[in-house]
Amino acid sequence: DAGVTQSPTHLIKTRGQQVTLRCSPKSGHDTVSWYQQALGQGPQFIFQYYEEEERQRGNFPDRFSGHQFPNYSSELNVNALLLGDSALYLCASSSDGAYEQYFGPGTRLTVT
Amino acid sequence: RKEVEQDPGPFNVPEGATVAFNCTYSNSASQSFFWYRQDCRKEPKLLMSVYSSGNEDGRFTAQLNRASQYISLLIRDSKLSDSATYLCVSNDYKLSFGAGTTVTVRA
């Protein structure tokens, strides 16, 4: 039973570029949440997708957008990258109605 | 004010010792709470869920005090493998994480 998977593992981008990160949820899960974790901080909620729609959103600018596909996998897109976007991006999946979320290994993004 | 606040530590304890630490949360409407464990440069892993007054799982005990809005985690008989950062999480419509408490267990 595969857990949550994310790709790529690491990514280096330049300021102003755009990036797309991918996540496949744990088998049986239909809800995907994205988090940003800066060094020394706890994960910060970006948004959550359920039934291919953004259901909830945290305090992140519109440069952060996402998508969920019919197979429940999800993408996180970040436009006009800033140096401050450098972080570990975590995807977590859950079953709708369940509180527990399970995390993937993350994508480490470095913006230079 | 941050939604979840934790003592960052570090807590440096010998093997076999008991270590306990708290976190406080600001949203009195939060219904459920979690402790996640995070090893260096790895993803958080769910350690324990706390829905009512507390929960116990082996050497780990979590307690919830709704009146004072804090959650505690106690680790008994510490092992070297317990060395990690422990993240306190409250759940209202989203998971709100604290910055983590670092625990180091020494031989």
Side-chain angles (χ1 to χ4, degrees):
Chain A
D1 178 22
V4 181
T5 60
Q6 290 186 244
S7 63
T9 306
H10 296 86
L11 205 51
I12 299 174
K13 290 286 190 178
T14 304
R15 272 181 301 175
Q17 286 188 314
Q18 178 265 343
V19 69
T20 297
L21 311 181
R22 295 176 176 81
C23 170
S24 290
K26 184 178 168 66
S27 177
H29 287 182
D30 55 10
T31 303
V32 173
S33 302
W34 286 93
Y35 295 83
Q36 179 196 66
Q37 186 175 23
L39 202 59
Q41 300 297 317
Q44 299 296 310
F45 175 74
I46 303 175
F47 41 53
Q48 184 181 81
Y49 276 84
Y50 172 69
E51 290 191 339
E52 301 179 50
E53 291 196 359
E54 182 182 292
R55 180 157 68 174
Q56 289 136 7
R57 189 179 182 93
N59 295 325
F60 278 80
D62 292 344
R63 299 186 298 109
F64 290 77
S65 63
H67 189 76
Q68 186 179 33
F69 299 93
N71 66 352
Y72 309 121
S73 67
S74 176
E75 288 182 348
L76 165 65
N77 301 293
V78 187
N79 294 322
L81 285 166
L82 304 174
L83 294 179
D85 294 333
S86 295
L88 179 66
Y89 287 84
L90 294 160
C91 166
S93 74
S94 57
S95 298
D96 183 48
Y99 293 127
E100 287 85 357
Q101 297 186 14
Y102 296 87
F103 285 84
T107 294
R108 192 164 298 279
L109 173 66
T110 302
V111 182
T112 63
Chain B
R1 181 184 172 187
K2 291 185 179 178
E3 294 180 52
V4 178
E5 300 206 50
Q6 295 184 246
D7 180 346
F11 289 79
N12 190 326
V13 300
E15 266 187 299
T18 296
V19 60
F21 40 90
N22 295 337
C23 86
T24 59
Y25 61 95
S26 60
N27 186 355
S28 59
S30 294
Q31 292 298 308
S32 56
F33 304 88
F34 307 96
W35 284 101
Y36 280 77
R37 169 202 169 116
Q38 187 170 30
D39 294 295
C40 187
R41 302 181 74 83
K42 299 283 191 180
E43 74 272 23
K45 295 194 175 179
L46 182 63
L47 179 67
M48 187 171 288
S49 304
V50 187
Y51 292 106
S52 57
S53 61
N55 193 7
E56 184 172 329
D57 183 4
R59 298 182 294 107
F60 297 84
T61 301
Q63 290 196 314
L64 169 62
N65 185 315
R66 289 193 184 274
S68 301
Q69 294 186 206
Y70 76 82
I71 313 113
S72 64
L73 182 67
L74 182 146
I75 307 173
R76 284 183 297 276
D77 188 22
S78 299
K79 311 291 185 191
L80 294 175
S81 58
D82 294 333
S83 297
T85 296
Y86 291 85
L87 299 167
C88 175
V89 186
S90 75
N91 178 47
D92 32 52
Y93 71 93
K94 60 177 175 62
L95 296 188
S96 296
F97 283 79
T101 297
T102 299
V103 174
T104 301
V105 181
R106 64 181 188 273

